[in-house]
Amino acid sequence: MTASVHSRIKRRAKTSISLALRFGGRVRHEFDVRRPLTHARVLQLLGETVEVRWARAGQDFTGPPRAQWSSFDRTPWNHPWLTQENMRAFRSYSDQLLDTWLRGKSSAVADIDVAFVGNMANANYVRAAGLRRLGARAPVYLHPDDHHVLGQPAWEEFDGEMPFDASPEIQAARLPIVPDVFRIPDEPETPLDQLGQSAPFLRPGDVLRWPGYMRFLPTLRELAKRKVLVASQCQYLAYLSGRPYVFGQSGGEIWFNPSSDDELGRIQLLALKQAAAIFVSNPLTLAHMRRYGLQNAIFLPFCLDDAKYAPGPADFREEWRQRTGGEFFVMCSARIDDLWKGSQIALEGFATFARAHPAARLVVLRWGSNSDELEARLAALGVASQVLILPPVGKQRLVRYLRSADCLIEQFVLGYYGGSALEAIGCGVPVIMRLEHEQYRGLLLDDLPPVLEAADADEVARALERLYTDATFKKATGEKTRAWFMRRHASSTFASQFSALLNRVSTGARPNFRRSPLHAPLSEAERRYHQTQLDNAPTYPSYV
């Protein structure tokens, strides 16, 4: 519960207010809020109805969870608040806040007692990698249920091929051992009557609302030993641990989960609210902040280990040439997904370019929701013989692939660069993608990534044509790309600021966000946009 909720409970206790819950005019249960909500009292209430449990747990929620959307946004890149002016105001505010809040504070990596919790698509292990290289232990705690190969830190260190549907046993046999990575089994039969002694960090109200989440107690106990946490994917584990934490998004845990009014949605949203800070790396996060009414955001880029994601020898270029006869290699490493990535635009753009240039080759990794249609599409486009389809590969192998490519085709829907683009950018590889140009101009203070912007297949083809026909331009673009990466997303560039932030948060300190531009009231355009998106949301719980 928040401090304000505790305060309200104390005030009500003084006035001896009793609360009766009525259903259809009949009193089902009555209790006195003067009685403190202790672990022992929680045990007495766990057998009550969900309505009683949620009401007794505190007044920071309006009734028990419901199986429906509380909000939704299918196209957050179109959010009305994402203007260049607002992006610039937020960035300027964030820079000033961090400069003042961290001034004179320790930025020594050795001082950090931090753990990373959750690792969907390796987002948190990637964040930890830069600190690890500088000497921090930075353990990563995986969600007990996350066995997908992309969520395993070993995938980041793997130099080989492996299908994403490989069993955990096969993964364990082939993936390297990475130190300080933990997946702690659940406790399905949690002895709740011992919570007060075995997990004193648990808030009684949280146990009463979410008793099913107590199966994560083994992980929570370990997290509770650390001074500060960095959360993604399952921010509720950081919240339940009772430790100070910051949050960096990796996907649906900020976009979709908190949009639902079920138990998961509520605890994920509460965890966002209680984070000491939410990292903003691209404008998309701010659209969600406005929708949820959150203000605790700071600008801190998603960083990659610049010693790993760097230019290097083109290990696979000759092998590709021998296999395909090609001379100009276009890489596509993002998942094949029309809805979210616009993969059809990438394929059609390459086909238009390749028909005029027989030496052109597309190297594509087979994964994603539309990957089973790949051969049929390429045959229909008439370029099947100019495409080399490869299985998914670990990130060590991917780096070698990127260094061997002439350029990367990225995504064309969201308009924001994510991990796939940054991996190529770090390696100094020119990137073709759609970019929300004006939003980034504000957020990055005019220091835009030197990507070749393309919104449709014809623009993709034209960008490829220029890179193919102008070797000087291609070389210069690659050099600018690497230089921009070092300024904007290199771990070594931001390690000092990241360390200082974590050290400060570990003391229990929290930035004051009262002056944030996010505090501005919702405009009428925003209200209409939110309502329209909710009215047109897919049937719960589907995201599409």
Side-chain angles (χ1 to χ4, degrees), residues 259-274:
S259 300
S260 64
D261 200 29
D262 55 17
E263 281 196 356
L264 175 61
R266 287 196 176 186
I267 197 170
Q268 288 285 70
L269 181 55
L270 179 60
L272 292 176
K273 291 179 179 178
Q274 294 301 314

Side-chain angles (χ1 to χ4, degrees), residues 122 125-126 129 132-133 152-160 174-179 181 305 308-309 394-397:
N122 258 315
Y125 181 69
V126 169
R132 286 179 171 227
R133 185 175 290 280
Q152 314 314 305
W155 187 251
E156 190 70 21
E157 310 300 341
F158 181 47
D159 185 5
R174 297 191 60 194
L175 294 177
I177 301 298
V178 179
V181 173
D305 181 354
K308 173 180 179 178
Y309 291 94
K395 292 301 179 68
Q396 290 283 14
R397 176 67 57 87

